[in-house]
C-alpha cells in the first residue's frame, strides 16, 4: 500500500480481519502430495510429521487397550464401594466405617504412570464421579499443602492461605480465590452437601450411573505413594477417617515397588482404617512386547529400524527406566533423524506414492541412489550392458527403482508373517535356541542369515525329535501366524501348511510303528566267536537299521520341516541384502545413543574446558585449547584443579586463581598488588569452589583441614 504526505510520519495499516484458514495435512494427504511443485524438504517434514502422528495415535490407542482391564476393575471396585455405603445391613455398616482403598501396582516405569492416571481420572469422571483429585509427593511436603491441593482440585478453586505471597495471588487472580478459608475437611463437607443438593434439585435427564445420581464418591489419587512423607500421609488418613460418615472418601495408591510399601509407611493403627484391595497392571516388559508386536513388527508403517538401533533402544529400556513412553520417544528421534539426514526418505511412504515419487526424482537424487551401498552391490551383479544403463541412463534407473521399491515392499509383507511363523515353532523349544521373545528372533534376523546360525540348526534338530501331537500343535500356531497376512505368497504357504496338517490328522497310529524282527540279528551274534566276524556282523546290523524304511510320520515330518526351512530362506534374509533398504531403514545407532543415553559429566567437562563454544564470546577464544583468563570463575578454578593431585591445597589454589584474575583485569605484573587476594576475589573463589563441589568434582576431606579431595580424573 502506497501513501503520500507533505510531512514525514508513521503510518499504521491494520491487518485484514479475515484470516486465511490453514488446514493441517494428514498422512494420506501428504502421501498423495508428491514431490512435484513442492520443496523436497517440506515434503520430508510433512511425511515425518504425519507418520509420527499416526504412530503416536496408534500407540495411545494400544496403551488404552492394554490398561483397559485393570482400569475397568478399578471402576467396578469404586462403584461397588460407593453402593455399599447405601445398604443398611450390619456387614455394610462395618465396611462403611473403613475408607475403600485401591492399591494399584504399576511397576518401576515411572514415566508411564502419568498416562495411566490420566486415563483413570477421565474414566472416573465420565462413568463414576466428577469429584476426582490427583496429588503428587513433590507438591505435598506438609499436611497443610496436601490438604490445600486436595481441596483446590476437588472444588475447582484456589484456597489462599494467610502466608501466601502476593505474587502467587496475582498469578492466580484469574481463578476465584477464597482467602482466609481454613483448609479443613469440614469446609469440604459443606461444599459437598451444597453440590449434592444442587444436583438433586436440578431437573434433567437420568444418568447412566446410579452413583452419580445420589452421592457420588470423592476419589483421591496418590500418584507416587513411596515418595510421600509417611507422617503427612498418616495424619491425612487419620483426619479423613473422622469424616468417613459425612464424606464418601476413597483412595487410590499408585505403587511402583511392592504392596509391602503400605505396611512400611503406615502403622497398624492407620492401615486398619483402610479397606485395601490390590490391583495389578500389565508389566512393562509385556507392555513393550505388545508395542513391538503391533507397531514395530508390522508392514503397516514404512519406516524401519536396523538391528543396532533396536538393540540401543531395547537396552535403554531394560537397563535404564523400563519406560515404554521413552522407548516411543526414541523411535520418534530415529524417525526425525532419518527424514532429516536422508534426502531419499521421500520414498519412505506407501508403495503407490513411493512409485509416483520415483518419477519426480531429480538428477541429483538419482546420483545419490547410485552411491548407496546396497545399489552398488546390485549394480555389480548385473551384466555389462545393464550396468552401463543403470549408471548413465536416468530414465532406465527410474524404471529399475520402481521395480526395486516394489520388491522392498513385497519383502516387508512376507518378512513379518514368516518371522511370526518361525517364532511360533521355536519359542517353546527347550533352552529357547532362537529366543523366547519375538524381538530376540527379530534382532537375529536383522543382523545375519538366521538359517546359517548354529541355534537355527539345533532348533531344527529338536523339531525332528518331536512327537506327532506336539508338532501338530506348533504347526497350528504357525497357521494362525500366517492367517492375517494378505500377501499372495503367504496365502499360498498357508494353504500348503494346512494341507500338511490335514495329512498329519489322517495318519494311522499303527502305521507309525515299524515292525521288524530284532531277535534274528541277536541270535546270529551269539554264533560269532571270531572277533573279526563279530565286528562285521555289528556293521551289517547298523547298516540294516539305517537303511530300514522310514515311517509315514517321519516322512511327513521331514517334508514339513523342509517346507519351513525353504520359507525361512526365501523370506527372512537380513534387510541389508535388499536393494534400496537405506530409504526405509535408519541405522545410526551412535546418534540415538548420544541423544538418549546422556553423559552429564562429559558435557559439564566440555563446557568448563571450552566456554567459548557455549558463551560465544570472542574474548574466551583460544588457539591452544587452554582456558582464557577472562573466562568465568568456575572455568578458571576447574582448569587449575586439573593441574593438582589427589589432594588440593586451598591456599595455593586461591593464590593461583588470584594471579590469573589479576592478569585478566590488566594489572601490572611488576606492581606489589598483582596477585594479591582481596575480599572480592576471595568471595568469588569460594563461590566457584562451592559450585565445583556441587557438581561432584571435589569434596572435603578429614585428612587435612585446609585441603579438598579431587574426585574426577581424565579430561572430556
Amino acid at each position: 500500500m502506497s501513501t503520500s504526505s507533505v510531512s514525514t510520519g508513521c503510518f499504521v495499516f491494520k491487518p485484514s480481519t479475515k484470516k486465511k484458514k490453514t488446514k493441517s495435512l494428514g498422512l494420506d494427504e501428504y502421501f498423495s502430495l508428491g514431490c512435484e511443485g513442492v520443496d523436497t524438504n517440506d515434503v520430508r517434514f510433512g511425511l515425518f510429521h504425519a507418520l509420527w502422528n499416526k504412530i503416536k495415535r496408534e500407540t495411545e490407542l494400544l496403551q488404552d487397550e492394554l490398561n483397559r482391564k485393570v482400569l475397568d476393575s478399578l471402576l467396578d471396585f469404586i462403584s461397588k464401594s460407593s453402593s455399599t455405603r447405601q445398604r443398611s445391613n450390619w456387614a455394610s455398616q462395618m465396611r462403611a466405617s473403613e475408607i475403600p482403598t485401591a492399591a494399584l501396582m504399576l511397576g518401576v516405569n515411572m514415566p508411564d504412570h502419568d498416562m495411566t492416571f490420566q486415563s483413570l481420572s477421565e474414566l472416573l469422571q465420565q462413568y463414576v464421579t466428577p469429584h476426582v483429585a490427583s496429588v503428587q509427593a513433590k507438591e505435598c511436603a506438609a499436611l497443610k499443602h496436601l490438604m490445600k491441593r486436595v481441596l483446590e482440585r476437588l472444588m475447582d478453586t484456589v484456597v489462599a492461605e494467610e502466608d501466601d505471597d502476593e505474587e502467587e495471588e496475582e498469578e492466580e487472580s484469574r481463578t476465584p480465590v477464597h482467602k482466609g478459608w481454613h483448609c479443613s475437611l469440614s469446609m469440604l463437607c459443606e461444599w459437598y452437601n451444597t453440590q449434592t443438593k444442587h444436583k438433586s434439585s436440578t431437573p434433567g435427564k437420568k444418568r447412566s450411573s446410579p452413583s452419580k445420581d445420589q452421592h457420588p464418591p470423592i476419589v483421591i489419587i496418590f500418584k507416587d505413594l513411596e515418595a510421600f512423607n509417611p507422617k503427612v500421609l498418616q495424619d491425612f488418613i487419620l483426619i479423613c477417617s473422622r469424616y468417613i460418615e459425612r464424606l464418601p472418601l476413597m483412595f487410590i495408591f499408585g505403587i511402583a515397588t511392592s504392596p509391602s510399601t503400605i505396611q512400611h509407611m503406615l502403622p497398624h493403627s492407620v492401615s486398619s482404617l483402610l479397606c485395601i484391595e490390590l490391583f495389578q497392571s500389565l508389566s512393562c516388559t509385556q507392555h513393550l512386547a505388545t508395542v513391538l508386536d503391533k507397531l514395530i513388527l508390522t508392514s503397516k508403517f514404512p519406516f524401519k529400524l536396523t538391528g543396532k538401533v533396536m538393540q540401543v533402544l531395547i537396552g535403554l529400556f531394560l537397563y535404564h527406566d523400563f519406560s515404554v513412553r521413552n522407548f516411543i520417544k526414541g523411535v520418534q528421534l530415529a524417525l526425525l533423524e532419518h527424514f532429516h539426514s536422508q534426502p531419499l526418505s521421500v520414498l519412505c511412504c506407501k508403495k503407490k506414492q513411493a512409485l509416483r515419487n520415483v518419477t519426480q526424482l531429480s538428477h541429483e537424487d538419482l546420483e545419490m541412489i547410485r552411491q548407496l551401498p546396497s545399489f552398488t552391490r546390485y549394480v555389480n551383479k548385473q551384466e555389462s550392458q545393464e550396468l552401463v544403463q543403470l549408471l548413465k541412463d536416468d530414465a532406465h534407473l527410474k524404471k529399475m527403482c520402481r521395480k526395486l521399491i516394489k520388491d522392498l515392499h513385497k519383502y516387508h509383507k512376507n518378512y513379518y508373517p514368516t518371522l511370526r511363523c518361525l517364532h511360533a515353532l521355536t519359542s517353546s523349544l527347550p533352552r529357547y535356541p532362537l529366543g523366547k521373545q519375538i524381538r530376540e528372533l527379530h534382532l537375529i534376523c536383522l543382523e545375519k542369515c538366521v538359517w546359517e546360525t548354529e541355534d537355527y540348526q539345533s532348533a531344527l534338530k529338536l523339531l525332528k525329535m518331536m512327537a506327532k501331537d506336539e508338532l501338530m500343535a506348533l504347526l497350528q500356531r504357525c497357521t494362525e501366524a500366517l492367517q492375517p497376512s494378505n500377501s499372495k505368497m503367504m496365502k499360498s504357504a498357508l494353504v500348503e501348511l494346512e494341507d500338511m496338517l490335514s495329512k498329519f490328522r489322517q495318519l494311522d497310529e499303527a502305521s507309525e510303528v515299524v515292525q521288524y524282527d530284532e531277535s534274528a540279528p541277536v541270535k546270529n551274534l551269539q554264533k560269532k566267536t571270531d572277533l573279526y566276524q563279530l565286528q562285521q556282523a555289528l556293521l551289517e546290523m547298523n547298516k540294516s537299521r539305517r537303511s530300514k524304511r522310514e515311517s509315514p510320520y517321519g516322512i511327513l515330518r521331514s517334508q514339513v520341516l523342509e517346507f519351513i526351512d525353504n520359507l525361512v530362506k526365501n523370506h527372512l534374509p537380513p534387510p541389508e541384502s535388499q536393494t534400496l533398504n537405506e530409504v526405509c531403514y535408519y541405522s545410526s545407532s551412535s546418534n540415538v545413543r548420544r541423544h538418549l543415553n546422556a553423559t552429564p559429566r562429559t558435557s559439564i567437562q566440555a563446557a568448563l574446558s571450552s566456554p567459548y563454544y557455549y558463551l560465544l564470546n570472542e574474548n574466551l577464544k583460544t588457539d591452544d585449547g587452554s582456558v582464557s583468563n577472562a573466562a568465568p570463575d568456575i572455568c578458571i578454578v576447574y582448569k587449575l584443579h586439573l593441574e593438582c593431585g589427589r589432594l588440593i591445597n586451598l591456599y595455593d589454589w586461591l593464590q593461583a586463581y588470584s594471579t590469573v584474575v589479576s592478569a585478566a583485569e590488566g594489572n601490572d605484573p611488576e606492581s606489589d598488588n598483582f596477585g594479591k587476594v582481596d575480599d572480592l576475589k576471595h568471595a568469588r573463589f569460594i563461590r566457584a569452589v562451592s559450585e565445583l563441589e556441587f557438581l561432584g568434582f571435589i569434596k572435603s576431606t578429614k585428612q587435612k583441614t585446609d585441603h579438598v579431595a579431587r574426585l574426577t580424573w581424565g579430561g572430556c
Side-chain angles (χ1 to χ4, degrees):
M1 184 180 295
S2 60
T3 59
S4 60
S5 175
V6 295
S7 60
T8 304
C10 297
F11 299 89
V12 178
F13 302 100
K14 295 183 179 180
S16 176
T17 56
K18 296 182 180 180
K19 296 183 179 180
K20 296 182 179 180
K21 295 183 179 180
T22 58
K23 181 181 178 182
S24 58
L25 297 179
L27 183 62
D28 296 333
E29 293 173 339
Y30 264 111
F31 284 159
S32 62
L33 186 61
C35 302
E36 186 176 6
V38 183
D39 188 8
T40 307
N41 294 332
D42 295 338
V43 175
R44 283 157 51 195
F45 177 76
L47 289 173
F48 154 74
H49 195 267
L51 185 58
W52 166 244
N53 285 340
K54 186 173 183 180
I55 293 176
K56 182 180 178 181
R57 185 166 57 253
E58 293 282 345
T59 305
E60 292 175 352
L61 293 176
L62 180 60
Q63 290 177 338
D64 290 341
E65 181 181 349
L66 293 175
N67 293 328
R68 180 65 59 186
K69 184 176 181 180
V70 65
L71 294 182
D72 289 344
S73 301
L74 279 170
L75 294 181
D76 293 340
F77 168 74
I78 295 175
S79 300
K80 292 178 181 179
S81 300
S82 177
S83 61
T84 302
R85 294 175 54 89
Q86 303 174 12
R87 299 174 185 171
S88 58
N89 55 47
W90 180 82
S92 300
Q93 291 178 359
M94 292 298 296
R95 180 116 181 175
S97 63
E98 300 174 343
I99 302 177
T101 303
L104 180 58
M105 304 299 302
L106 293 173
V108 296
N109 50 330
M110 299 295 291
D112 298 338
H113 294 183
D114 291 338
M115 185 177 296
T116 303
F117 284 121
Q118 182 180 355
S119 301
L120 176 60
S121 300
E122 293 175 355
L123 290 175
L124 286 173
Q125 293 175 351
Q126 184 177 359
Y127 295 108
V128 180
T129 174
H131 311 310
V132 181
S134 300
V135 291
Q136 289 181 292
K138 63 182 180 181
E139 57 188 9
C140 304
L143 179 60
K144 65 176 183 179
H145 298 148
L146 174 57
M147 192 71 70
K148 179 182 177 181
R149 295 293 181 268
V150 170
L151 295 182
E152 285 179 347
R153 284 159 195 180
L154 287 175
M155 301 166 59
D156 194 18
T157 184
V158 176
V159 181
E161 298 178 355
E162 295 180 357
D163 55 347
D164 285 349
D165 297 332
E166 294 181 358
E167 296 180 358
E168 295 181 358
E169 295 179 359
E170 293 178 359
E171 293 177 357
E172 299 170 350
S173 59
R174 297 181 180 177
T175 310
V177 180
H178 299 280
K179 187 173 182 180
W181 281 19
H182 183 62
C183 296
S184 65
L185 291 185
S186 59
M187 180 179 66
L188 182 61
C189 290
E190 297 176 3
W191 174 84
Y192 181 76
N193 293 331
T194 304
Q195 292 291 318
T196 53
K197 289 180 181 179
H198 175 70
K199 289 184 179 180
S200 60
S201 61
T202 302
K205 293 183 180 180
K206 188 175 181 180
R207 298 181 183 179
S208 59
S209 177
S211 61
K212 280 191 174 184
D213 292 337
Q214 300 174 359
H215 296 282
I218 298 176
V219 182
I220 302 175
I221 302 175
F222 298 85
K223 291 185 176 181
D224 45 353
L225 183 69
E226 291 91 344
F228 275 86
N229 188 339
K231 179 62 176 174
V232 173
L233 193 61
Q234 294 170 20
D235 294 342
F236 183 76
I237 294 175
L238 289 172
I239 295 174
C240 291
S241 65
R242 298 179 181 273
Y243 289 85
I244 190 62
E245 295 180 356
R246 301 169 58 188
L247 291 173
L249 293 171
M250 296 184 186
F251 295 157
I252 296 179
F253 290 161
I255 302 176
T257 53
S258 171
S260 60
T261 303
I262 300 177
Q263 300 176 359
H264 296 158
M265 297 184 65
L266 304 177
H268 182 265
S269 59
V270 178
S271 61
S272 61
L273 302 174
L274 306 176
C275 178
I276 302 175
E277 187 168 337
L278 188 64
F279 297 88
Q280 181 69 52
S281 67
L282 192 68
S283 67
C284 50
T285 53
Q286 293 175 330
H287 197 163
L288 177 67
T290 307
V291 169
L292 288 175
D293 187 56
K294 300 296 183 181
L295 300 179
I296 304 298
L297 304 180
T298 176
S299 58
K300 183 189 300 184
F301 303 106
F303 174 72
K304 307 296 177 184
L305 299 173
T306 60
K308 292 183 178 179
V309 178
M310 284 282 293
Q311 288 177 355
V312 170
L313 294 178
I314 294 176
L316 290 175
F317 172 85
L318 294 176
Y319 304 111
H320 186 56
D321 56 4
F322 289 99
S323 173
V324 178
R325 182 180 180 183
N326 289 342
F327 178 86
I328 298 298
K329 287 183 178 179
V331 175
Q332 179 189 16
L333 174 64
L335 182 67
L336 176 61
E337 286 276 346
H338 177 70
F339 278 93
H340 176 264
S341 60
Q342 177 57 269
L344 297 175
S345 58
V346 292
L347 304 179
C348 183
C349 51
K350 291 182 179 180
K351 183 175 71 172
K352 292 183 179 180
Q353 180 56 34
L355 296 178
R356 287 199 297 266
N357 288 349
V358 168
T359 60
Q360 306 296 334
L361 294 178
S362 63
H363 177 72
E364 290 76 12
D365 296 331
L366 295 176
E367 288 297 326
M368 292 181 190
I369 292 179
R370 293 186 175 105
Q371 296 174 5
L372 294 177
S374 62
F375 188 79
T376 303
R377 292 192 298 268
Y378 173 78
V379 170
N380 292 335
K381 296 179 183 178
Q382 306 302 316
E383 297 180 358
S384 58
Q385 183 178 0
E386 179 69 16
L387 187 148
V388 172
Q389 288 183 342
L390 290 174
L391 297 179
K392 300 296 184 180
D393 190 354
D394 289 351
H396 183 72
L397 178 58
K398 289 182 180 180
K399 179 180 178 182
M400 291 304 301
C401 284
R402 290 172 59 87
K403 176 181 178 300
L404 295 174
I405 289 293
K406 290 181 181 179
D407 294 341
L408 185 61
H409 282 266
K410 186 185 299 183
Y411 164 77
H412 288 148
K413 283 188 176 182
N414 297 327
Y415 174 88
Y416 295 107
T418 307
L419 180 72
R420 299 180 194 280
C421 178
L422 181 60
H423 176 257
L425 274 177
T426 60
S427 59
S428 58
L429 294 178
R431 299 181 182 179
Y432 310 111
L434 292 177
K436 185 177 181 180
Q437 302 291 337
I438 191 172
R439 57 179 171 83
E440 300 173 358
L441 177 59
H442 178 56
L443 290 176
I444 297 175
C445 296
L446 288 177
E447 295 295 331
K448 61 186 76 172
C449 297
V450 64
W451 60 87
E452 296 178 355
T453 61
E454 296 181 2
D455 295 333
Y456 178 81
Q457 300 299 330
S458 63
L460 286 183
K461 291 179 181 179
L462 290 173
L463 291 173
K464 289 179 181 178
M465 295 186 293
M466 274 197 166
K468 176 185 174 182
D469 294 338
E470 296 176 349
L471 185 60
M472 287 183 63
L474 294 181
L475 293 178
Q476 184 63 37
R477 293 174 57 187
C478 285
T479 57
E480 294 174 358
L482 295 177
Q483 282 176 356
S485 176
N486 56 1
S487 171
K488 293 182 179 179
M489 291 185 178
M490 292 298 102
K491 289 182 179 180
S492 175
L494 177 62
V495 171
E496 189 170 353
L497 194 58
E498 289 178 343
D499 182 56
M500 292 182 179
L501 264 176
S502 63
K503 290 181 180 179
F504 271 112
R505 298 188 185 98
Q506 296 172 1
L507 281 178
D508 186 9
E509 297 291 341
S511 64
E512 298 183 16
V513 182
V514 181
Q515 303 290 339
Y516 62 94
D517 187 12
E518 291 186 351
S519 61
V522 176
K523 293 178 180 179
N524 293 332
L525 286 177
Q526 295 176 354
K527 300 178 182 179
K528 307 294 182 182
T529 56
D530 185 55
L531 181 62
Y532 176 76
Q533 294 178 351
L534 181 62
Q535 184 179 7
Q536 292 296 323
L538 290 174
L539 290 175
E540 291 178 1
M541 184 188 301
N542 189 24
K543 184 177 180 180
S544 63
R545 286 182 177 178
R546 288 184 178 180
S547 60
K548 68 181 179 180
R549 188 174 63 87
E550 193 175 3
S551 65
Y553 167 69
I555 296 175
L556 189 56
R557 179 179 56 190
S558 300
Q559 293 177 356
V560 169
L561 295 181
E562 184 180 359
F563 168 75
I564 296 294
D565 187 45
N566 292 332
L567 194 69
V568 169
K569 291 179 180 179
N570 292 333
H571 303 302
L572 283 187
E576 292 184 356
S577 63
Q578 304 300 310
T579 310
L580 300 185
N581 67 85
E582 296 89 348
V583 170
C584 298
Y585 283 84
Y586 179 73
S587 60
S588 182
S589 58
S590 58
N591 287 343
V592 176
R593 184 182 292 106
R594 186 177 70 252
H595 288 298
L596 298 181
N597 193 13
T599 53
R601 177 189 165 188
T602 304
S603 302
I604 293 172
Q605 287 179 324
L608 296 177
S609 302
S610 306
Y612 165 74
Y613 296 103
Y614 291 81
L615 302 178
L616 299 179
N617 188 345
E618 293 296 333
N619 297 329
L620 304 179
K621 191 173 183 179
T622 57
D623 297 332
D624 55 354
S626 60
V627 177
S628 171
N629 53 15
D633 295 335
I634 188 174
C635 298
I636 298 174
V637 171
Y638 171 77
K639 187 66 177 179
L640 293 174
H641 114 285
L642 293 178
E643 302 172 0
C644 302
R646 188 176 64 88
L647 295 178
I648 305 175
N649 189 313
L650 286 173
Y651 180 77
D652 296 340
W653 199 4
L654 173 60
Q655 292 295 331
Y657 166 79
S658 179
T659 303
V660 174
V661 172
S662 298
E665 294 174 351
N667 297 333
D668 185 10
E670 303 295 335
S671 63
D672 297 337
N673 294 331
F674 184 81
K676 185 177 180 180
V677 180
D678 53 15
D679 294 341
L680 180 59
K681 293 178 183 177
H682 195 188
R684 291 167 57 186
F685 174 76
I686 292 175
R687 183 179 64 180
V689 171
S690 300
E691 291 173 349
L692 279 186
E693 183 179 9
F694 176 76
L695 294 175
F697 289 99
I698 59 173
K699 72 171 184 177
S700 58
T701 177
K702 295 181 180 180
Q703 296 182 6
K704 294 183 180 181
T705 56
D706 57 343
H707 285 65
V708 293
R710 181 178 171 184
L711 299 178
T712 60
W713 304 90
C716 58

